[in-house]
Amino acid sequence: MQSQKTQQHVRGRNRGAGLRRIKGERSQAYPAAKNKVITVRFGELWLRGKNRGAYINMLRSNLIRLMAGERFALEYGYDRFIIRPGSDSGLEAIKGGLSHLFGISSYEIGYATEPSLARISRLAREVLLGAGIREGEKLRINAHRTYKGLSFNSMDITREVISIAESMGIDPQIRDYGREIFINVTKDSAYVSMERIKGLGGLPVGTSGKGVVLLSGGIDSPVAAWYAMKRGIKPVYVHFHGFPNAGEAIASKVPRIVSILSAYSPGSRVYYVPSHLFQAGTLKSGRFELILLKAFMLRVAELVAKSEDAEAIFTGESLGQVASQTASNMLAEQYGLKMQILRPLVGFDKQEIINKAMAIGTYEESIKPYRDVCSINARNPATRTDVATIARLIKDERIQGLARRSLKASTIVDSQQGGRETPHPPG
Ligand code: ATP
Ligand code: MG
């Protein structure tokens, strides 16, 4: 409200004054692109009280890992990071990294100067020229002071920038504006930007511990993995394949999906678990076969979670999406498990999941053909399952033993950013 008053006041005072047109300057890039500065703002981190330090450290190390190979300087100031790219090409890579970083509310690409009214005004003028703003365009001025010990306040800044804008033929507005200029003043610097980008929000990956994600290669489970990461979970993937050995699964679309997800959480570990021991070891349980298969998968996931020190298991199930995904089946498949099972997509429509998969970048891979273990099983699954029946079947089928043996027969693939380690057995 304050700045609204200021703008009205200044506009009133200048009303009728002839507007100076600055011609011929606009094609030049003011100021030099190489001096760009990126301001990264934390979001929810502020809610974290005494854990704040740990959250910021995790965010910082995720940021550094996402930008591996790029030269840049990183400062931590009050409620934000300040990044200075080492080169123009580095700027693009850093923007790419920031667009995949959980735990930030927004980032601005702009320039820095000394925190004085004269310097800020000069820089604001250069930034407006450099942004290619045209005469008559409507501009909102968004000035903010983090440090209150300076001799001027945000109203003074707004007033200055309004008169600069008007002298350039730009129309300062509070509502119905087309462009926006952001001015932020701290104790040591002032930042001016016309490019504010919304961050992914959420929490820095790793701050909520590890989670085992059951990853099928379909559309849903990569999206579930993304939502787990969004809440600070570092994923460990478990994939069940129907091949005689892991080679074919390791050469399939599954690692490509993992690699896309790794843009949000650098480095990954995937357990490729064979399903043939389960297939050979179970009696023909007919309509319950799919539930038993899920019970088997969840048991393997629980064993992995224990050895990885993970705190929960994530699946891409969504209530009622297919005949087998009913609440009673979900309860039955987790019979006897102690580990928490989280299903981030439970309230999503299929189309919403598809849209999200497209935005994340996994959709194109997910729809490619693949021999999924679930499709080998019963076509007419039970939709209402009585837990007692499943309890008896789970005991009869010696599922726990099959899970242990299958995990032993699995292959682990670790990938660091930009390279893959040799597959190895567990233990
Ligand atoms: P998705 O698109 O994730 O495959 P879906 O709608 O096809 O899900 P299901 O095939 O019933 O549904 O699988 C439900 C969930 O079970 C998956 O989201 C995934 O978490 C897990 N799952 C299914 N198949 C596998 C597999 N081969 N390996 C690991 N997890 C699996
Ligand atoms: Mg599936």
Side-chain angles (χ1 to χ4, degrees):
M1 268 344 260
Q2 232 180 16
S3 65
Q4 185 168 353
K5 264 191 201 148
T6 317
Q7 293 205 3
Q8 280 169 349
H9 167 72
V10 176
R11 285 179 57 70
R13 199 185 48 177
N14 283 352
R15 200 176 293 143
L19 298 181
R20 273 196 293 127
R21 303 269 189 255
I22 303 151
K23 293 214 168 73
E25 281 187 82
R26 258 154 234 186
S27 55
Q28 296 175 35
Y30 287 94
K34 67 177 165 28
N35 297 329
K36 279 195 172 169
V37 171
I38 308 170
T39 316
V40 182
R41 231 173 272 265
F42 323 137
E44 216 171 322
L45 295 183
W46 286 104
L47 304 172
R48 296 280 148 173
K50 62 181 176 5
N51 291 334
R52 223 185 104 223
Y55 277 73
I56 288 170
N57 283 340
M58 189 64 91
L59 185 63
R60 188 208 305 254
S61 76
N62 290 348
L63 182 68
I64 290 170
R65 293 181 70 197
L66 282 178
M67 295 179 207
E70 285 308 326
R71 281 195 306 121
F72 62 91
L74 176 67
E75 284 165 39
Y76 165 51
Y78 191 55
D79 61 347
R80 67 199 76 185
F81 288 139
I82 306 293
I83 305 174
R84 291 169 205 274
S87 64
D88 285 352
S89 60
L91 176 68
E92 288 312 307
I94 291 166
K95 279 165 85 171
L98 289 172
S99 69
H100 290 84
L101 185 69
F102 287 114
I104 60 175
S105 57
S106 67
Y107 49 104
E108 281 162 26
I109 294 131
Y111 299 88
T113 188
E114 283 165 32
S116 76
L117 262 188
R119 293 287 183 142
I120 293 169
S121 307
R122 197 158 88 192
L123 181 58
R125 185 173 176 280
E126 289 180 349
V127 167
L128 286 167
L129 285 168
I133 194 162
R134 284 193 296 276
E135 285 171 15
E137 266 196 272
K138 294 184 166 65
L139 175 78
R140 182 183 149 119
I141 295 145
N142 189 329
H144 187 78
R145 252 184 341 155
T146 310
Y147 177 66
K148 311 284 179 197
L150 298 163
S151 60
F152 55 92
N153 61 24
S154 50
M155 277 211 276
D156 297 322
I157 303 169
T158 305
R159 214 176 277 129
E160 281 289 319
V161 179
I162 286 173
S163 61
I164 288 166
E166 290 189 331
S167 76
M168 294 166 70
I170 299 163
D171 181 12
Q173 287 288 341
I174 292 160
R175 285 182 206 90
D176 301 325
Y177 52 91
R179 308 286 293 266
E180 194 166 13
I181 185 165
F182 305 93
I183 300 138
N184 245 287
V185 188
T186 65
K187 191 173 178 187
D188 309 310
S189 291
Y191 302 93
V192 179
S193 162
M194 289 195 68
E195 195 180 354
R196 176 182 281 186
I197 301 166
K198 202 170 175 305
L200 290 180
L203 303 172
V205 170
T207 51
S208 300
K210 275 193 205 172
V212 169
V213 176
L214 284 179
L215 192 73
S216 68
I219 296 168
D220 305 337
S221 43
V223 177
W226 189 89
Y227 277 105
M229 290 191 273
K230 185 175 183 197
R231 297 313 300 166
I233 290 284
K234 172 83 192 160
V236 175
Y237 300 103
V238 175
H239 174 72
F240 295 87
H241 64 85
F243 307 109
N245 60 59
E248 271 184 83
I250 294 174
S252 74
K253 64 178 180 174
V254 174
R256 291 200 296 272
I257 290 173
V258 169
S259 150
I260 294 164
L261 292 171
S262 296
Y264 299 90
S265 162
S268 63
R269 165 166 283 192
V270 188
Y271 284 73
Y272 291 91
V273 187
S275 62
H276 58 75
L277 294 175
F278 169 82
Q279 309 283 358
T282 46
L283 302 169
K284 284 291 146 232
S285 21
R287 300 175 64 222
F288 297 116
E289 202 171 345
L290 203 52
I291 294 168
L292 279 184
L293 174 63
K294 285 278 165 60
F296 160 76
M297 289 183 182
L298 289 171
R299 274 177 165 66
V300 175
E302 189 175 61
L303 294 172
V304 172
K306 278 182 191 149
S307 78
E308 292 283 347
D309 211 12
E311 292 173 37
I313 296 167
F314 290 83
T315 81
E317 288 163 311
S318 162
L319 204 52
Q321 191 191 82
V322 289
S324 63
Q325 289 180 7
T326 60
S328 76
N329 281 3
M330 289 184 197
L331 182 65
E333 72 194 26
Q334 68 190 55
Y335 172 81
L337 290 187
K338 295 200 179 60
M339 179 73 52
Q340 161 130 265
I341 298 164
L342 298 174
R343 299 174 173 94
L345 306 187
V346 77
F348 284 66
D349 294 340
K350 189 72 190 186
Q351 192 56 48
E352 288 172 320
I353 300 172
I354 289 173
N355 294 348
K356 196 71 206 178
M358 286 175 172
I360 296 168
T362 50
Y363 182 76
E364 290 300 320
E365 285 298 336
S366 287
I367 56 172
K368 289 184 183 161
Y370 183 62
R371 206 176 97 200
D372 183 38
V373 285
C374 282
S375 60
I376 319 168
N377 281 272
R379 304 243 153 248
N380 181 23
T383 51
R384 284 185 67 88
T385 312
D386 148 42
V387 174
T389 311
I390 282 299
R392 184 179 53 75
L393 282 170
I394 285 177
K395 271 196 205 131
D396 287 356
E397 304 287 352
R398 305 171 310 275
I399 285 196
Q400 194 65 34
L402 288 171
R404 238 183 246 116
R405 282 165 51 213
S406 300
L407 181 59
K408 264 205 178 124
S410 70
T411 302
I412 299 175
V413 176
D414 289 326
S415 297
Q416 300 306 324
Q417 211 183 18
R420 181 191 281 175
E421 282 178 14
T422 329
H424 60 92

